[in-house]
Each structure stands twice: as structure tokens, then as C-alpha cells.
Amino acid sequence: MNSPKWMKFILITAGFYNIVWGSFNIIFPDFYFDFAGMQKLNYPEIWQCLAMIVGAYGLAYIIASFNPYKHWPVIMAGFIGKVLGPIGFLLAYLGERFTLKAGITNITNDLIWWIPFTLILLKAYRFYHPANKKT
């Protein structure tokens, strides 16, 4: 069940990135809104909760890095979030609720991970696909 080393590198990198991003936004919940030129939240705890979930995904990615084929559902859940996040941003931007600058976080949080996560998921599918099993 050995996976290529690049998978471990990608997942550990994604994991640490998510933990750092999550921790930073828990500690400084207004930073993103100030940076994006948007009104601060009345309840920053909502943003901090989202940041906590992002950080928890980071830990999950690090655990998944030890056996990406076995832990493909974790990677799939993260990938789905990385696809839906930019869609949500786009809808909010088109509805003039988010600034364009607010979308910068989609590059580092989501878009850069699409290709590596897709490749990991494709390899996991091929690993488990019945046609690849020897009888």
C-alpha cells in the first residue's frame, strides 16, 4: 500500500498550511475583513469557528498523508470544500457582498490544491478499482 512520496509531501504541506491559516484567523478574526476592505462581522466567533474547521482539516490531511489510499475519503471531503469555496466566493462577489480582494484567499486555500488532490484521488481510485485487483 505504498503511495508515492509526493502525496505525503502534498498532504503534509496542505495540513500545515491549514493549521497555520486556521490558527491565524482564530487569533486575528478581523484581519481578513480588514484586508479585503469588507465590514467586520458582528459575531467574529462564526469566522473563528470556520477557521477551527480549516485547522482540523489540516490535522486530517497530515494523518491521511501516512496512507493516502486508505484515507481517500478525507482527501475527497477536503477536495469538495476546495471546489465549493471558490463557487461560494464567486456567487458572493457577483452579488456584490464580497470584494474581489476577498477572493485572494481562494487561491491559497483552494485553487492550488485542485490538481494535486485530484491526482491523489485518481490514484486512490485506480488502487482500489476492481479491474486492478489480481485474482
Side-chain angles (χ1 to χ4, degrees):
M1 255 208 208
N2 289 337
S3 59
K5 291 182 190 227
W6 65 265
M7 288 185 188
K8 185 170 195 143
F9 173 79
I10 290 294
L11 291 169
I12 287 174
T13 302
F16 279 112
Y17 171 80
N18 278 33
I19 290 168
V20 169
W21 189 94
S23 298
F24 182 84
N25 282 282
I26 289 169
I27 297 167
F28 304 106
D30 292 334
F31 177 83
Y32 173 78
F33 299 92
D34 290 339
F35 169 79
M38 297 181 352
Q39 184 177 355
K40 294 177 187 175
L41 295 174
N42 289 334
Y43 303 98
E45 297 82 4
I46 294 170
W47 184 251
Q48 290 171 309
C49 184
L50 174 66
M52 181 259 323
I53 293 167
V54 169
Y57 263 98
L59 179 59
Y61 294 150
I62 291 170
I63 293 168
S65 77
F66 291 97
N67 191 339
Y69 295 149
K70 178 180 177 184
H71 299 293
W72 70 265
V74 170
I75 300 162
M76 175 64 83
F79 179 74
I80 291 168
K82 292 178 182 315
V83 170
L84 295 178
I87 293 170
F89 161 76
L90 186 60
L91 293 173
Y93 175 72
L94 293 174
E96 299 180 352
R97 292 180 308 282
F98 278 14
T99 64
L100 186 58
K101 201 171 182 183
I104 290 174
T105 193
N106 288 129
I107 296 168
T108 55
N109 282 20
D110 305 310
L111 299 176
I112 66 170
W113 306 107
W114 282 9
I115 291 173
F117 276 42
T118 297
L119 293 174
I120 293 170
L121 291 168
L122 285 172
K123 286 197 170 281
Y125 172 78
R126 289 182 187 132
F127 181 84
Y128 283 111
H129 194 275
N132 295 330
K133 301 293 181 195
K134 295 182 181 185
T135 55

